[in-house]
């Protein structure tokens, strides 16, 4: 069956299609209904069925190929950058998962309870995720680079019974203490977890809170022989919450199910990523992001593959480290981000050529738009297909790509590809809501129901799920990706950037409102606008324009530089360095309409050297002059 026939069946006869794909996983109880879409836009997949993510990722493979590698944890965050690694077979991974599950149960965690995981890229973080899945707890992984304020909002929203963390992470050989940030976040949050389970890496001092904080290694010793059977869950029960930046300051908790997610990952690993049991998969992402959930932890393991968990940068000890890993572990499929490739592109080419990369069959890139130059360079350097793919935290797996597991449909430079099975993608005019013609710019949307694996709702807020994602067009109820796009004459889609106030920095989605609120807390900031500006390495960077509350304090270039440093420190402290703007400019006016709406797109256009567009509604044209002068200075 070619791609066109395969895709058409997925959207024209979804019950037959997804019933067949569902056979790729084990079911404890067969489902009665493939999809319940009686209450749109909400969809329930494989209703009546019972399964378990941990069983499908670990136990079934421990029974079939227990001695083959499952998890390969590699770190270059050693004193001199020399890689250190450890491998667990599927049988060993099952034992460690059961031990961690027993620890969680001993701390009172049960089915439906939330466990917040705030950890570096170490094996214990994977054990924790799988242990939650095993006992029916709901995990919420928070990226280890987030600061106390961001962490506190997630604690307060998820209300975890348990938080699992570590003494520190490490970046470029420098320890980043986690425990002080976690203690501050718990202090800021109205919700207090019953226990904090801590992995001590001996990288930073930890002050334990009596009665709350417990040591992972001590409890592991007590549960070495624990046997914890999987808890069979309804297909539509919640597997995890993953927070993503929104257009308001409060992040949205993307809520994922169990059965639909397992089927979607099993299907995508076969058709898109061509995973085969016994092969090795290497994704360079972080478990704090959706790629880490889907294609470091669950997806490769569900496919019976060994998955590499990498802690470190692509440049330490030198820029050949990733290729060294590919050679040593005979990596078949690799997944990274365009930003990482742009970084490696600047390194000496011989660093790549010194390693045998013949095991590598394809490189997959996602997280941000892939430009033609980067794609062409890495394709030539590696001599393998470069497969772009486009998706979101909300969808959990690719919306657009080319499915080489179905046929050899060619890629197209600049395009992530064509719709993947189950996604009814189209482009609507922002103002009219009508379907755009070929090569006509509009908003990329998806007709409901969303296919298996996509978000069920926003955690604890069905109303926000409907209003944020499904209420953006008066003509019909469709899911908005909030991305501009076009579709060419052959059906390939091209993504042109965001329609809302979320920016994409090196694959990390950041809400400009969240950054603005942080900057506004500085006592010398009266007003602020943050926009995403195109960057050759990171895709986009945040740039801030502030109106000082006390202009006399920033009358000199030195004073403005000092304010910029102070604002950097505020953002670092409240949101983490990942959200820090690249520059902070001081102005006296910000461009607004007469109704008071901030013209962010005009500011962004000026930053990128483009025409700021129709400014007939602008209240004070002098504000644009100030933006230009600030950029020139």
């Amino acid at each position: 069956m070619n791609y066109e026939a395969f895709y058409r069946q997925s959207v024209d006869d979804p019950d037959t299609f997804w019933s067949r794909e569902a056979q790729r996983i084990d079911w404890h109880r067969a489902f009665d209904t493939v999809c319940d879409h009686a209450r749109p836009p909400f969809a329930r997949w494989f209703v009546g069925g019972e399964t378990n993510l941990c069983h499908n990722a670990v136990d079934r493979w421990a029974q079939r190929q227990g001695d083959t590698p499952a998890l390969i944890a590699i770190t270059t965050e050693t004193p001199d950058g020399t890689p250190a690694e450890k491998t667990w077979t599927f049988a060993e991974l099952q034992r460690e998962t059961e031990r961690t599950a027993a620890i969680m149960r001993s701390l009172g965690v049960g089915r439906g309870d939330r466990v917040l995981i705030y950890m570096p890229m170490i094996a214990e973080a994977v054990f924790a995720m799988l242990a939650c899945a095993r006992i029916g707890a709901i995990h919420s992984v928070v990226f280890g680079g987030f600061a106390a304020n961001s962490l506190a909002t997630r604690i307060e929203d998820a209300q975890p019974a348990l938080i699992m963390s570590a003494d520190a992470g490490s970046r470029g050989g420098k320890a980043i203490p986690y425990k002080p940030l976690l203690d501050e976040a718990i202090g800021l949050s109205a919700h207090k977890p019953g226990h904090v389970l801590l992995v001590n890496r001996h990288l930073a001092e930890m002050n334990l809170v009596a009665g709350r904080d417990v040591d992972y290694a001590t409890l592991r010793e007590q549960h070495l022989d624990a046997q914890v059977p999987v808890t069979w869950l309804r297909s539509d029960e919640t597997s995890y919450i993953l927070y993503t930046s929104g257009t308001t300051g409060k992040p949205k908790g993307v809520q994922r199910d169990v059965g639909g997610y397992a089927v979607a990952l099993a299907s995508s690993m076969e058709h898109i990523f061509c995973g085969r049991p016994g092969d090795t998969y290497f994704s360079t992402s972080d478990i704090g992001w959706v790629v880490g959930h889907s294609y470091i932890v669950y997806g490769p393991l569900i496919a019976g593959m060994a998955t590499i968990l990498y802690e470190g940068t692509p440049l330490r000890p030198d820029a050949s480290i990733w290729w060294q890993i590919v050679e040593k572990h005979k990596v078949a499929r690799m997944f990274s981000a365009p930003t990482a490739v742009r970084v490696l592109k600047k390194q000496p080419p011989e660093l790549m050529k010194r390693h045998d990369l013949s095991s590598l069959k394809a490189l997959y890139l996602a997280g941000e738009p892939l430009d033609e130059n980067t794609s062409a360079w890495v394709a030539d350097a590696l001599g393998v297909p470069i497969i772009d793919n486009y998706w979101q935290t909300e969808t959990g797996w690719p919306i657009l790509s080319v499915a080489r597991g179905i046929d050899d449909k060619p890629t197209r430079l600049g395009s992530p590809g064509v719709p993947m099975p189950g996604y009814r993608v189209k482009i609507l005019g922002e103002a009219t809501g009508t379907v755009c013609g070929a090569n006509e710019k509009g908003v990329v949307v998806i007709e409901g129901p969303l296919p298996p694996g996509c978000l069920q709702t926003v955690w604890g807020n069905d109303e926000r799920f409907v209003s944020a994602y499904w209420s953006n067009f008066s003509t019909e109820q469709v899911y908005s990706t909030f991305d501009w796009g076009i579709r060419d004459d052959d059906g390939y889609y091209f993504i042109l950037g965001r329609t809302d106030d979320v920016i994409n920095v090196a694959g990390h989605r950041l809400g400009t409102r969240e950054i603005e609120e942080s900057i506004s807390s500085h006592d010398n900031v009266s007003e602020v606008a943050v926009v995403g500006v195109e960057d050759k390495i990171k895709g986009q960077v945040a740039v801030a324009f502030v109106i000082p509350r006390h202009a006399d304090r920033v009358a000199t270039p030195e004073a403005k530089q000092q304010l910029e440093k102070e604002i950097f420190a505020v953002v670092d402290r409240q949101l983490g360095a990942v959200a820090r703007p690249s520059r902070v400019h001081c102005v006296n006016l910000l461009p607004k309409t007469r109704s008071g709406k901030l013209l962010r797109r005009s500011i962004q256009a000026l930053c990128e050297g483009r025409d700021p567009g129709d400014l007939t509604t602008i209240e004070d044209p002098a504000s644009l002059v100030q933006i230009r002068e600030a950029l020139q200075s």
Side-chain angles (χ1 to χ4, degrees):
M1 186 182 293
N2 62 18
Y3 159 77
E4 282 76 15
F6 192 79
Y7 173 74
R8 288 297 350 149
Q9 186 187 48
S10 77
V11 294
D12 293 341
D13 188 8
D15 281 12
T16 299
F17 180 89
W18 289 113
S19 184
R20 184 183 67 238
E21 292 301 303
Q23 304 314 307
R24 298 184 183 281
I25 69 166
D26 285 355
W27 294 90
H28 178 65
R29 182 185 184 282
F31 49 89
D32 304 312
T33 304
V34 176
C35 181
D36 175 5
H37 194 225
R39 192 168 65 97
F42 300 93
R44 298 165 62 220
W45 284 93
F46 309 112
V47 181
E50 292 182 355
T51 188
N52 184 281
L53 274 170
C54 183
H55 168 83
N56 281 287
V58 180
D59 294 55
R60 65 172 177 155
W61 297 109
Q63 296 162 12
R64 301 176 193 177
Q65 53 184 52
D67 293 335
T68 61
L71 177 65
I72 304 167
I74 302 173
T75 181
T76 54
E77 295 299 329
T78 54
D80 61 356
T82 302
E85 64 180 62
K86 183 175 180 179
T87 298
W88 287 262
T89 65
F90 277 100
E92 291 167 340
L93 181 57
Q94 180 179 344
R95 298 298 302 121
E96 286 297 344
T97 300
E98 289 188 85
R99 288 164 185 152
T100 306
I103 292 170
M104 290 181 177
R105 281 191 165 176
S106 74
L107 297 174
V109 177
R111 182 173 183 168
D113 288 335
R114 273 78 65 206
V115 175
L116 189 139
I117 300 170
Y118 182 64
M119 297 185 73
M121 291 287 285
I122 57 177
E124 289 83 356
V126 177
F127 303 157
M129 294 173 70
L130 292 170
C132 288
R134 189 174 198 85
I135 64 176
I138 300 168
H139 62 66
S140 181
V141 182
V142 177
F143 176 60
F146 280 153
N149 277 47
S150 294
L151 181 55
T153 61
R154 288 152 174 80
I155 293 172
E156 199 159 285
D157 193 65
Q159 298 189 341
L162 171 71
I163 295 179
M164 187 165 174
S165 189
D167 59 331
S170 183
R171 188 72 174 170
K174 180 182 178 182
I176 304 168
Y178 281 14
K179 186 58 162 56
L181 295 171
L182 178 57
D183 287 341
E184 183 183 350
I186 293 173
L188 291 170
S189 172
H191 174 81
K192 311 299 178 185
H195 293 284
V196 174
L197 180 61
L198 293 159
V199 176
N200 192 349
R201 307 179 72 194
H202 304 286
L203 295 177
E205 292 292 327
M206 284 197 296
N207 295 317
L208 302 186
V209 176
R212 187 196 73 183
D213 297 351
V214 287
D215 178 64
Y216 178 84
T218 301
L219 290 185
R220 180 182 177 276
E221 286 297 315
Q222 297 172 14
H223 295 90
L224 284 177
D225 300 321
Q227 293 184 329
V228 180
V230 299
T231 299
W232 297 108
L233 304 171
R234 295 191 320 275
S235 176
D236 60 348
E237 284 189 65
T238 304
S239 61
Y240 68 77
I241 307 163
L242 183 58
Y243 288 92
T244 184
S245 293
T247 54
T248 63
K250 185 179 180 182
K252 300 185 292 286
V254 168
Q255 177 180 316
R256 193 89 65 210
D257 70 355
V258 176
Y261 188 51
V263 171
L265 292 184
S267 180
S268 67
M269 288 302 300
E270 171 75 17
H271 302 309
I272 302 174
F273 299 101
C274 305
R276 299 291 180 266
D279 281 353
T280 302
Y281 195 97
F282 179 20
S283 171
T284 67
S285 186
D286 188 287
I287 58 166
W289 310 119
V290 70
V291 173
H293 283 56
S294 294
Y295 298 113
I296 293 178
V297 181
Y298 292 115
L301 294 176
I302 285 173
M305 303 179 77
T307 185
I308 292 176
L309 182 79
Y310 178 72
E311 181 189 34
T313 74
L315 302 178
R316 189 173 193 265
D318 62 47
S320 72
I321 180 60
W322 285 0
W323 315 121
Q324 179 182 325
I325 291 170
V326 170
E327 178 183 38
K328 179 176 181 180
H329 294 284
K330 294 181 169 50
V331 172
R333 307 281 163 175
M334 187 172 176
F335 193 144
S336 193
T339 290
V341 176
R342 292 183 197 112
V343 169
L344 293 173
K345 183 181 176 183
K346 296 185 170 215
Q347 309 305 313
E350 59 268 20
L351 293 175
M352 183 183 292
K353 294 178 181 177
R354 71 168 62 154
H355 294 287
D356 179 3
L357 307 181
S358 58
S359 65
L360 192 64
K361 301 297 187 290
L363 172 66
Y364 299 83
L365 296 172
E368 56 189 299
L370 173 62
D371 60 279
E372 295 184 18
N373 288 339
T374 300
S375 179
W377 174 82
V378 73
D380 181 66
L382 290 177
V384 301
I386 307 303
I387 313 296
D388 195 1
N389 54 114
Y390 159 77
W391 46 298
Q392 301 177 321
T393 302
E394 290 85 350
T395 65
W397 61 287
I399 301 169
L400 303 170
S401 189
V402 291
R404 286 294 179 90
I406 301 169
D407 64 19
D408 289 332
K409 192 175 184 70
T411 59
R412 185 157 295 185
L413 283 175
S415 168
V418 294
M420 289 297 94
Y423 287 104
R424 298 176 176 88
V425 185
K426 58 186 180 181
I427 295 179
L428 297 183
E430 183 184 35
T432 64
T434 57
V435 177
C436 294
N439 301 305
E440 183 181 350
K441 179 181 174 181
V443 181
V444 181
V445 303
I446 306 168
E447 294 180 5
L450 295 178
C454 295
L455 79 167
Q456 296 173 293
T457 186
V458 171
W459 173 256
N461 199 333
D462 286 352
E463 184 179 338
R464 191 178 185 194
F465 172 67
V466 176
S467 64
Y469 294 107
W470 295 91
S471 303
N472 296 281
F473 293 92
S474 59
T475 50
E476 58 181 314
Q477 188 180 59
V478 288
Y479 171 90
S480 176
T481 65
F482 299 103
D483 280 312
W484 295 111
I486 61 171
R487 182 180 59 82
D488 70 12
D489 293 315
D490 298 319
Y492 285 79
Y493 285 76
F494 295 76
I495 304 302
L496 307 177
R498 297 291 291 179
T499 67
D500 64 4
D501 297 324
V502 173
I503 61 176
N504 195 323
V505 181
H508 303 161
R509 289 178 64 193
L510 303 170
T512 56
R513 282 295 302 135
E514 200 169 5
I515 302 172
E516 287 172 354
E517 288 175 11
S518 176
I519 293 173
S520 293
S521 67
H522 189 286
D523 62 6
N524 195 22
V525 173
S526 172
E527 201 170 348
V528 58
V530 173
V531 296
V533 177
E534 186 177 0
D535 181 83
K536 291 183 179 179
I537 298 296
K538 296 183 177 181
Q540 279 185 306
V541 293
V543 175
F545 294 86
V546 302
I547 298 177
R549 192 179 303 276
H550 307 286
D552 57 311
R553 296 184 189 174
V554 289
T556 65
E558 293 77 17
K560 290 177 181 176
Q561 289 177 3
Q562 179 59 34
L563 177 61
E564 182 178 57
K565 290 179 182 178
E566 292 173 6
I567 287 173
F568 287 166
V570 168
V571 175
D572 284 1
R573 185 173 65 254
Q574 294 185 2
L575 302 179
V578 68
R580 182 195 303 160
S582 65
R583 286 300 312 272
V584 176
H585 298 286
C586 291
V587 294
N588 296 325
L589 290 169
L590 289 172
K592 296 179 182 178
T593 65
R594 295 179 183 88
S595 62
K597 182 181 178 182
L598 192 61
L599 294 170
R600 287 188 178 85
R601 290 184 194 172
S602 298
I603 299 174
Q604 181 189 51
L606 290 173
C607 291
E608 295 178 348
R610 296 184 285 108
D611 184 345
D614 181 13
L615 300 175
T616 56
T617 61
I618 192 169
E619 184 178 26
D620 191 339
S623 59
L624 293 181
V625 176
Q626 290 205 15
I627 296 291
R628 287 192 180 96
E629 290 177 348
L631 291 169
Q632 290 169 358
S633 66

